[in-house]
Amino acid sequence: MRGGPLIKHLDDVPWFEAMRLRFADGHTASIWEKWIEYTPRYVVFYNIWEPGALAPFHGHQGDHTIFVMKGELIDGDGNRYGAGTHMMLDWGDMFGPWEAGTEGAVLYCVIMGTGKFFGGDLEGWHKLLEEKGAVSEDLPRPPVPPFADSGTSDPALKMGRAEGGSAASGRDPGKVSI
């Protein structure tokens, strides 16, 4: 117990590039995240999905709530979830695959638990990447708290996180027009 609220401003939390896809025409689409709070009991994060960014069928360790603030996400069946949409998943539930719409997406998420990623359909993920003409690029792993284990993603899915530091790539999510 802290004895009062923990207050942060989003501008004071660093960005990291969680995933980057490179498409056959040379353009890229990334998912950028800010981990606002990351404790053994919960993870609070804010992310920006650039237009066309993709995520596989997956789940997280903990009950998970997602609120679409801007733009839209499109599920594997073509259903569109725009600004104002709230999604709730119980621990162990899986969802996706997801694609950001033409304007991208901005999400606010809370996971009540460690938030550790667990993968789903590896074959389906590779098929989706092939259909979209995309490959997942390796990126530096952001620093994770000791309780988060050795990884926050399933390495079999090549979520774009390689072992190593978290050097900046020179790209700035603040310049993404969403």
Side-chain angles (χ1 to χ4, degrees):
M1 191 162 83
R2 276 189 284 278
L6 178 61
I7 299 172
K8 288 186 183 173
H9 192 279
L10 194 58
D11 291 343
D12 297 330
V13 180
W15 284 108
F16 71 90
E17 192 172 11
M19 175 188 248
R20 181 189 314 147
L21 300 174
R22 181 164 305 280
F23 292 83
D25 67 3
H27 87 277
T28 61
S30 295
I31 298 173
W32 295 86
E33 292 192 350
K34 286 187 175 217
W35 291 343
I36 301 167
E37 288 296 329
Y38 199 157
T39 78
R41 295 179 20 231
Y42 57 87
V43 181
V44 180
F45 61 101
Y46 175 87
N47 60 23
I48 291 178
W49 293 46
E50 294 176 343
L54 302 168
F57 180 67
H58 70 285
H60 294 276
Q61 292 180 5
D63 296 335
H64 188 185
T65 182
I66 301 109
F67 185 77
V68 180
M69 297 174 63
K70 293 182 184 177
E72 71 178 353
L73 291 180
I74 305 163
D75 70 16
D77 294 325
N79 299 307
R80 296 173 177 274
Y81 304 94
T85 301
H86 177 261
M87 301 175 201
M88 186 71 210
L89 293 104
D90 290 335
W91 195 107
D93 285 348
M94 297 179 70
F95 66 143
W98 295 106
E99 179 176 5
T102 58
E103 302 297 317
V106 176
L107 309 177
Y108 179 80
C109 308
V110 178
I111 302 173
M112 300 310 290
T114 65
K116 189 171 180 180
F117 178 97
F118 55 88
D121 179 10
L122 182 60
E123 185 178 322
W125 174 239
H126 289 296
K127 182 179 176 185
L128 178 61
L129 290 176
E130 185 178 329
E131 287 171 6
K132 298 291 183 175
V135 294
S136 178
E137 293 190 345
D138 285 336
L139 297 171
R141 179 181 295 282
V144 295
F147 64 81
D149 207 13
S150 63
T152 55
S153 67
D154 183 337
L157 289 176
K158 281 197 71 184
M159 289 295 294
R161 292 180 174 160
E163 294 302 323
S166 59
S169 69
R171 296 180 63 212
D172 181 358
K175 294 182 181 174
V176 176
S177 58
I178 304 267

